[in-house]
Amino acid sequence: MKLLRKILFPFIPIYYLVTWLRNKFYDLGWFSSKSYDIPVICVGNLSTGGTGKTPTTEYIIGLLKEKQYQLAILSRGYGRKTKGFVLADEHASAETIGDEPFQFYNKFKGHVSVAVDENRQHGIETLQLMKSPEVIVLDDAFQHRKVKAGFYVLLTAYGDLYSNDIVLPTGNLREPRAGAKRADCIVVTKCPTSLSSSEKEHITQQLRPLPHQSVYFSAISYSEYIYNGSDRFPLQHLIGKTITLVTGIANPKSLLDYLRSKSIDFEHLKFKDHHVFSTSEIDVLRQKEVILTTEKDYMRLQDSFDANTSLLYYLPITFQIDKSDAFDTEIISFISSF
C-alpha cells in the first residue's frame, strides 16, 4: 500500500486542484450551500480517518444531553446496507445505520434521535419534520459543503497533524490544508496525558490557527472494565486466558499499547476500518476462547455471538479535553446565539 501511494505521487496536483477548486467555488457562492435556522454543529477532519471523531462526538452529545437540549445526530452511516434516510429505532443495527451511529443509538437511547442519510440536506430537513430537534450534530461532515453548519469542530491527531500531511493519493488529506480555515475550533486528539504546556504551544504554532480559532488538546483513556452487553468484568479477568483482539478501526496502536501495559497477552486480528465480517470470518472467531474488541467493532459483531456472550467483550474508552470549561462554553454560546 505504501509503495502504491508513492507510485501515485504524480497524481497529487490533480487531486489538489480538483478539491481546491471545489472549495473555492463554494466559498465564492458558485456552488450553493444551505444553512439552517437551528444550531448545526459539525465534527470532522481533513484526513481520511483515525482522528477520534466518535469519542469527540459523544462528548458533545453528553454535554448537550446534560443541558437538556432536544438533540439529533446525523451521519452518513458508513458501511450500512441501506440507502437514503433511516431513523434509528428498536430494530436498528450496524447493518441498517452503520456501526458508529448504532453505537450512538445504544449509548444515548431515549435521549437523542440518531439518523443517517448520505444527503445531509435531506437528512436535516427530514429530522426537522419528524423530530423538531433544537440542535443537530453532524458526524464526519467537514467536506460536505452542501450544508453550511453554524459551528465546525476540526479534529487532528497528535503525531499525525494535518499541517504535516499532504493530500491523497500519497498523503491522507481529503482536501488541502487550507480547508482548516472553515473551523471554529481545532481539537488535537489522542494526545498523551503527560503532554507539556511547551509542546502544546509548539503544536499550536505548527497548526497556525486563525485569530478566531481556539485550539484544544484531548486524550482518550481506556476503561478498567470489559463489557459483554449485559455485564462488566475487571480487565484483569482476561489474564491467563487465550485472548484474540479483533480491531476494525483506523489506528489500533494506543489500544495495543494499553493492553500490553496491563500484562494482557493476545493475538491481534487487524481488519480495515468499518470492516464487514464475512460468514467464514465469524466461523473462525467462534472457535476462539475469548474475543476482545472495540466498542465500535462490537456493534458489528454482537449479533453473531448472541448465543455465547461470554465469548465476546469490548473495552470502552473515555474522552478528556483540556480547558473543558472553555470548550463547553464555546459550544453552548453558539447554541444560545440562536
Side-chain angles (χ1 to χ4, degrees), residues 47-65:
S47 65
T48 53
T51 56
K53 290 187 301 294
T54 300
T56 307
T57 301
E58 288 183 351
Y59 178 88
I60 293 172
I61 295 167
L63 169 67
L64 301 184
K65 174 175 165 287

Side-chain angles (χ1 to χ4, degrees), residues 90-103:
E90 66 273 14
H91 304 296
S93 67
E95 290 191 347
T96 60
I97 62 173
D99 50 11
E100 289 167 352
F102 190 46
Q103 181 174 323

Side-chain angles (χ1 to χ4, degrees), residues 281-293:
E281 288 167 341
I282 294 297
D283 288 341
V284 170
L285 293 179
R286 283 179 175 148
Q287 305 307 311
K288 304 296 183 179
E289 180 180 341
V290 175
I291 296 170
L292 180 65
T293 191

